[in-house]
Amino acid sequence: MGLLSDGYRKLSMILYLILSGSLNKKTVLFWDEPETNMNPRMIRPIVQTMVALAKMGVQVFVTTHDYFVQQEFNMMTVYPELNPDKLDIRFISLYRNEESGELECEVKQTATELKNNAIMQEFDAMYDREQRI
């Protein structure tokens, strides 16, 4: 694995964990920013990998700052035909309340329902900047 790029090393580690029996039914996987150091064309296969793990019985937690990772999962929640196994997908946003300064948490069934979604807020801000140009 030492000769692989960091992104492919992550995928190799997942494969190694599965083959060694460490990642199996009733285990939990925390995957922080799976898109890091990955070709954008790999986003969909990575999400499909996480979905396959969930179907195996692995509970998967993913953190991301990537629009495409978020939207791959969001499409599964919005379009039932993309989630025939009815996997329970949740979107969680941790944010600081601007008024109180307290750390807060928001949990929704779809990414579009999140009021505090930094990915979409920045996407919208970029769109607005482009429109002004």
Side-chain angles (χ1 to χ4, degrees), residues 6 11 16 20 26-27 30 38 53 65 67 69 74 83 92 95-96 124 131 133:
D6 286 341
L11 292 175
Y16 174 79
S20 71
K26 298 186 181 181
T27 59
F30 292 93
M38 290 302 285
L53 289 169
H65 292 100
Y67 173 80
V69 171
N74 194 52
N83 188 9
I92 302 169
Y95 63 96
R96 189 158 309 279
D124 292 344
Q131 294 307 304
I133 295 170

Side-chain angles (χ1 to χ4, degrees), residues 71-88:
Q71 289 308 106
E72 282 291 335
F73 282 110
N74 194 52
M75 287 191 319
M76 291 179 62
T77 63
V78 173
Y79 303 107
E81 63 270 20
L82 297 178
N83 188 9
D85 296 303
K86 298 181 180 174
L87 293 173
D88 185 12

Side-chain angles (χ1 to χ4, degrees), residues 2-108:
L3 300 176
L4 296 174
S5 69
D6 286 341
Y8 285 103
R9 195 171 308 142
K10 287 181 193 177
L11 292 175
S12 298
M13 182 58 72
I14 297 295
L15 181 60
Y16 174 79
L17 290 171
I18 292 168
L19 293 174
S20 71
S22 298
L23 189 59
N24 56 45
K25 192 176 191 176
K26 298 186 181 181
T27 59
V28 179
L29 173 66
F30 292 93
W31 198 342
D32 183 34
E33 298 187 351
E35 72 279 357
T36 303
N37 300 318
M38 290 302 285
N39 182 320
R41 289 188 174 147
M42 289 300 297
I43 299 302
R44 189 160 187 247
I46 289 170
V47 170
Q48 290 172 334
T49 298
M50 289 184 267
V51 167
L53 289 169
K55 288 179 183 178
M56 277 177 32
V58 176
Q59 186 171 12
V60 181
F61 290 88
V62 181
T63 61
T64 187
H65 292 100
D66 186 80
Y67 173 80
F68 298 107
V69 171
Q70 172 190 272
Q71 289 308 106
E72 282 291 335
F73 282 110
N74 194 52
M75 287 191 319
M76 291 179 62
T77 63
V78 173
Y79 303 107
E81 63 270 20
L82 297 178
N83 188 9
D85 296 303
K86 298 181 180 174
L87 293 173
D88 185 12
I89 299 170
R90 304 285 172 98
F91 294 86
I92 302 169
S93 174
L94 295 175
Y95 63 96
R96 189 158 309 279
N97 183 310
E98 291 180 16
E99 293 176 18
S100 69
E102 296 290 321
L103 186 63
E104 296 189 10
C105 176
E106 181 181 12
V107 180
K108 299 293 180 184

